[in-house]
């Protein structure tokens, strides 16, 4: 049986980024991907400042920025004609904006970089079994058995590795259903809008080509969500969006039950979980791909240092110690912001809207830093990784963020 240094399961953005990071350090990893083709649906569409900084260090941000739409302002709409404007150029970063780009294009850039570094994902190869050992992992796919020193589970929200190994998970469903559509709209300004209405939460995001992502929440019903039609989504949009924009020419429609889930430990011996396999939250947060890429860059650098013998294996514990609290913060923030967007009492909503229209500059900046992933903890993690030293205990990392 062949022995690999690292086997990466999943060629979504996180698997591609981990593999690129390993290849960059000369580690011969392989990537297996169940799907024969890259997933075409647009899904994630926002790349935030911290993610762009990390991509820039790897030579990828210029192309991504050139392909996407740069959005410098977020309008928080609290009623017809009433909006608070949050300007991203207050942020201290070379990328003071939200980059709007369909996920498939981000993946294309990540995969091209991986290929330039000599890595080719094995598409149409599904992992079906994992046997963890004390100093290796044996993986069985539908085509072969392979032995690897380490296995990275980057196989998404429905992770096969997680189902096979059953590590402890914490999480809960939330009370909302999320509807999303990529559509054309007439007479709507290309502005990123977050809409707080008495009937739900709405999001409008302009793509570079003039089309839009429209997303809206509705109270969850019991049972599995049924694939929506354009008319279903139009009905939900009419409840929440003040101008009731008419949706047409959809290229993608989706519905999801909102919820959050996180593994208790990202490390399971020689198996390391990253991205959606480790944590998921409501898509209205627009952060999943971003924090998944942060996992990937952190884990890839540390795994490379361990595999080459530059660092002791316990460096991998610091991957969990740093990335788990970082994602936990994002999960808590997205939960809180969904609760804030769905206040029931008219009085609480009125107070909320008053506050948002008179936010002090320091609070506004902190809010934007959270969205952009620019807390101090993220930057410190990169410094630690470059020295290949284990991080100090997680309590200090989280208190600094
Ligand atoms: C509607 C929607 C909107 C979103 N919007 C945003 C947004 O605006 N911003 C943002 O940051 N995030 C957003 N997200 C989240 C984002 O899409 C995910 O966080 C991101 O895709 C996670 O990447 P990943 O690589 O961890 O997982 P995935 O992208 O799911 O990739 C996992 C890969 O593993 C493969 N795989 C699974 N099982 C196996 C197996 N047994 N063997 C081999 N391969 C396997 C899958 O085929 C897949 O290709 C959104 C998500 C949704 C659903």
């Amino acid at each position: 049986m062949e022995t690999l240094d690292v086997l990466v399961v999943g060629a979504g953005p996180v698997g591609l980024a981990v593999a690129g990071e390993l290849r960059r350090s000369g580690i011969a990893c392989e990537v297996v991907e169940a799907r024969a083709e890259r997933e075409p649906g647009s899904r994630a569409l926002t790349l935030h400042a911290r993610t762009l900084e990390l991509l820039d260090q790897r030579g990828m941000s210029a192309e991504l920025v050139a392909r996407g739409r740069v959005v410098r302002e977020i309008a928080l709409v609290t009623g017809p004609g009433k909006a608070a404007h949050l300007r991203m150029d207050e942020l201290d970063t070379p990328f003071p904006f939200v980059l709007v780009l369909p996920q498939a294009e981000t993946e294309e850039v990540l995969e091209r970089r991986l290929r330039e570094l000599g890595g080719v994902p094995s598409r149409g190869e599904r992992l079906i079994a994992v046997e963890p050992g004390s100093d290796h992992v044996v993986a069985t796919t539908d085509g072969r058995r392979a032995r690897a020193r380490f296995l990275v589970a980057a196989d998404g929200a429905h992770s096969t590795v997680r189902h096979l190994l059953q590590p402890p998970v914490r999480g809960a469903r939330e009370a909302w259903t999320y509807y999303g559509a990529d559509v054309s709209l007439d007479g709507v300004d290309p502005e990123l809008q977050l809409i707080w209405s008495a009937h739900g939460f709405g999001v409008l995001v302009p793509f570079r080509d003039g089309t839009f992502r429209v997303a809206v929440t509705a109270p969850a019903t019991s049972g599995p969500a049924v694939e929506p039609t354009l008319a279903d989504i139009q009905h939900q949009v009419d409840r929440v969006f003040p101008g009731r924009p008419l949706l047409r020419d959809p290229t993608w429609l989706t519905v999801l039950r909102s919820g959050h889930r996180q593994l208790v430990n990202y490390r399971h011996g020689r198996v390391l979980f990253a991205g959606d396999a480790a944590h998921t939250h409501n898509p209205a947060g627009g952060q999943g791909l971003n924090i998944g890429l942060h996992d990937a860059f952190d884990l890839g650098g540390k795994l490379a240092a361990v595999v080459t013998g530059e660092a002791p294996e316990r460096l991998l514990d610091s991957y969990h110690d740093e990335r788990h609290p970082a994602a936990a913060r994002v999960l808590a923030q997205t939960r809180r912001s969904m609760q804030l967007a769905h206040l029931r009492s008219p009085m609480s909503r009125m107070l909320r809207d008053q506050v948002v229209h008179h936010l002090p500059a320091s609070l506004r900046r902190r809010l934007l830093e959270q969205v952009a992933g620019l807390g101090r903890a993220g930057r410190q993690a990169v410094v630690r990784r470059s020295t290949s030293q284990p991080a100090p205990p997680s309590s200090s990392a989280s208190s600094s963020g």
Side-chain angles (χ1 to χ4, degrees):
M1 197 190 326
E2 57 180 322
T3 299
L4 309 167
D5 282 330
V6 182
L7 179 67
V8 178
V9 183
V14 174
L16 292 169
V18 173
E21 211 60 12
L22 289 163
R23 285 266 165 189
R24 185 188 184 207
S25 302
I27 308 298
C29 63
E30 288 195 18
V31 184
V32 292
E33 165 56 51
R35 297 176 68 98
E37 305 279 340
R38 188 176 306 127
E39 183 160 345
S42 76
R43 295 197 290 163
L45 69 165
T46 51
L47 289 174
H48 297 295
R50 181 62 190 146
T51 312
L52 289 166
E53 289 178 359
L54 294 171
L55 288 160
D56 195 45
Q57 290 162 11
R58 291 150 181 90
M60 285 180 277
S61 63
E63 180 178 357
L64 292 164
V65 172
R67 284 177 172 225
R69 180 189 277 274
V70 167
V71 174
R72 295 186 184 275
E73 189 172 275
I74 300 175
L76 203 44
V77 179
T78 56
K82 283 204 289 186
H85 293 270
L86 305 177
R87 288 199 56 86
M88 308 293 286
D89 51 16
E90 294 181 19
L91 293 173
D92 180 17
T93 167
F95 304 97
F97 49 80
V98 177
L99 182 70
V100 179
L101 187 68
Q103 179 163 337
E105 293 203 42
T106 303
E107 289 181 17
E108 200 182 309
V109 172
L110 288 165
E111 181 162 342
R112 208 184 46 241
R113 172 173 178 266
L114 175 60
R115 285 174 182 267
E116 282 164 8
L117 293 164
V120 181
S122 170
R123 293 195 179 273
E125 182 173 4
R126 177 180 293 278
L127 177 103
I128 51 177
V130 181
E131 299 154 55
S134 59
D135 62 354
H136 68 280
V137 183
V138 175
T140 307
T141 71
D142 44 14
R144 62 176 158 152
R145 259 163 82 78
R147 189 183 151 102
R149 291 174 64 195
F150 296 95
L151 183 142
V152 175
D155 51 348
H158 305 288
S159 168
T160 305
V161 180
R162 204 180 57 228
H163 287 303
L164 291 168
L165 298 181
Q166 298 280 317
V169 177
R170 291 211 184 102
R173 289 192 140 196
E174 292 167 2
W176 306 285
T177 298
Y178 166 101
Y179 293 88
D182 289 353
V183 290
S184 295
L185 301 173
D186 294 320
V188 174
D189 288 337
E191 191 182 42
L192 198 164
Q193 294 184 10
L194 305 180
I195 296 151
W196 283 346
S197 93
H199 308 289
F201 174 57
V203 182
L204 183 75
V205 187
F207 287 111
R208 185 188 171 90
D209 67 359
T211 61
F212 291 83
R213 163 75 53 85
V214 175
V216 64
T217 61
T221 48
S222 55
V226 180
E227 277 306 303
T229 62
L230 185 64
D232 296 331
I233 297 187
Q234 181 74 60
H235 170 70
Q236 300 299 343
V237 164
D238 289 347
R239 286 173 38 248
V240 171
F241 280 63
R244 296 184 164 212
L246 184 66
L247 317 185
R248 60 177 175 80
D249 304 331
T251 54
W252 184 72
L253 303 174
T254 196
V255 62
L256 295 167
R257 176 76 189 267
S258 176
H260 56 271
R261 180 181 58 207
Q262 187 175 26
L263 283 186
V264 172
N265 202 317
Y266 287 6
R267 183 170 180 202
H268 189 97
R270 294 239 161 175
V271 176
L272 296 128
F273 289 87
D276 277 14
H279 46 74
T280 52
H281 60 273
N282 62 64
Q287 296 283 347
L289 170 60
N290 287 269
I291 59 173
L293 289 178
H294 301 188
D295 290 351
F297 295 138
D298 190 81
L299 176 58
K302 286 173 177 163
L303 252 184
V306 171
V307 167
T308 54
E310 273 174 50
E313 198 183 314
R314 72 192 159 89
L315 179 67
L316 295 176
D317 293 332
S318 73
Y319 163 64
H320 167 86
D321 292 344
E322 289 174 19
R323 293 306 310 154
H324 188 282
R329 277 195 295 275
V330 171
L331 265 61
Q333 281 158 18
T334 57
R335 261 198 329 268
R336 276 198 303 271
S337 52
M338 284 292 267
Q339 283 159 356
L340 197 64
H342 291 91
L343 293 177
R344 288 223 182 102
S345 106
M347 178 62 89
S348 325
R349 284 200 301 274
M350 198 183 77
L351 279 172
R352 173 198 68 190
D353 296 353
Q354 287 288 330
V355 169
V356 96
H357 283 278
H358 299 96
L359 270 187
S362 58
L363 214 61
R364 198 173 53 221
R365 190 186 163 96
R366 189 156 166 69
L367 203 69
L368 288 173
E369 281 175 354
Q370 273 185 8
V371 172
L374 289 171
R376 269 183 295 158
R379 289 208 163 101
Q380 283 172 346
V382 174
V383 174
R384 281 186 212 118
R385 186 169 66 250
S386 66
T387 61
S388 297
Q389 292 304 309
S394 59
S395 55
S396 68
S398 57
S399 62
S400 65

